[in-house]
Amino acid sequence: MTFSTLPASNYQQMGVYVRISGYIRAHPILLLVLLSPGIPEYLSGSSSWAVLVANPIAFALLVLLNVGLYTTGVILIREAVLRWRKGWASIFILGVAYGIVEEGLALQTLFNPKAEPVHELGVYGHWIGVNWVWTTGLLLFHATISIGLPLLLFGLALPNLKGKSLISPTRQKIFLILLTLDCIALYGIVRYWPGWPIVIGSSVAIFLLVFLAYRIPSKYASPSFSLPKNPR
């Protein structure tokens, strides 16, 4: 079937796809907004779509808070890796650091044994103020699904932006401020204080992870694009 024999409805669908694709290419940050928090929160079911029907205003506020967390985190990590000329190892390490920021300093699920999503893992594996079983799984989730996967899909969808910054240095500072304010707002909602040793220890861990991501060679965890040799 040639394009000339396609039904009119197919032409309309193709036109809509072209317009949406063109808009996203012109506004690449919008794609990251859709991917993150789209994948880790709404596609995974972590944030319920039922809230949209039950309380649309609360749903909109939650979306804004999630965008303030995930999207700013993804963009800041992408910009840092570009500036430092690093690879996927740095992305995953910074993803773990991001997980501590979100789930530790903001939401406190890494420490609060009675946090709603933790359940039994707040009892089993809770030691010296940390939910260790929950922490291990969740930090790996954030490093791969919340940070790594959106950046991978973004790179595949918009390969022409490889190695190019999305925001200026001034906007990077603004994004960092937005992320900080978002974490403060979430902490104000949760209101669980794990104690100064936990807070200081978490801050030190974040600093060490960022330093490791800065120092680790870019070749680590980077895919090889060399073709396999033909056997003789």
Side-chain angles (χ1 to χ4, degrees):
M1 180 182 293
T2 62
F3 284 104
S4 60
T5 59
L6 286 174
S9 60
N10 286 13
Y11 279 115
Q12 294 176 352
Q13 293 176 359
M14 291 176 60
V16 171
Y17 170 78
V18 170
R19 287 195 294 271
I20 294 176
S21 175
Y23 188 84
I24 290 178
R25 290 179 184 277
H27 304 83
I29 292 180
L30 176 60
L31 180 57
L32 287 177
V33 172
L34 297 174
L35 293 174
S36 184
I39 294 175
E41 284 292 328
Y42 300 100
L43 189 60
S44 70
S46 179
S47 290
S48 175
W49 286 94
V51 181
L52 177 60
V53 179
N55 193 335
I57 296 178
F59 181 83
L61 290 175
L62 287 174
V63 169
L64 288 176
L65 288 172
N66 283 328
V67 170
L69 272 178
Y70 289 95
T71 306
T72 56
V74 167
I75 292 176
L76 287 172
I77 287 175
R78 183 181 184 274
E79 295 298 317
V81 171
L82 287 179
R83 178 181 295 184
W84 300 341
R85 300 182 183 274
K86 300 298 179 180
W88 279 100
S90 294
I91 291 176
F92 290 133
I93 294 171
L94 291 174
V96 174
Y98 166 83
I100 299 176
V101 171
E102 177 182 334
E103 302 291 345
L105 300 182
L107 298 174
Q108 301 291 327
T109 65
L110 303 186
F111 316 126
N112 185 1
K114 296 182 180 180
E116 183 179 351
V118 180
H119 301 297
E120 292 84 359
L121 296 181
V123 178
Y124 301 99
H126 186 87
W127 182 58
I128 59 174
V130 180
N131 301 320
W132 289 103
V133 178
W134 170 262
T135 295
T136 302
L138 199 57
L139 293 185
L140 290 175
F141 175 86
H142 279 303
T144 55
I145 305 302
S146 299
I147 303 298
L149 184 56
L151 288 178
L152 174 64
L153 296 177
F154 181 84
L156 293 175
L158 301 175
N160 59 305
L161 294 179
K162 181 179 179 181
K164 297 181 180 179
S165 296
L166 299 179
I167 55 178
S168 64
T170 300
R171 291 189 176 183
Q172 291 176 22
K173 297 176 182 178
I174 294 175
F175 273 51
L176 183 59
I177 293 174
L178 290 175
L179 178 60
T180 303
L181 293 176
D182 200 294
C183 290
I184 293 174
L186 289 172
Y187 175 77
I189 296 173
V190 174
R191 292 190 178 183
Y192 176 81
W193 179 248
W196 281 113
I198 295 294
V199 173
I200 295 174
S202 300
S203 302
V204 171
I206 293 169
F207 173 81
L208 292 177
L209 286 169
V210 172
F211 181 75
L212 177 61
Y214 174 75
R215 295 293 299 175
I216 193 170
S218 59
K219 64 180 180 180
Y220 285 4
S222 296
S224 174
F225 296 99
S226 61
L227 296 176
K229 297 180 180 180
N230 294 327
R232 294 182 180 274

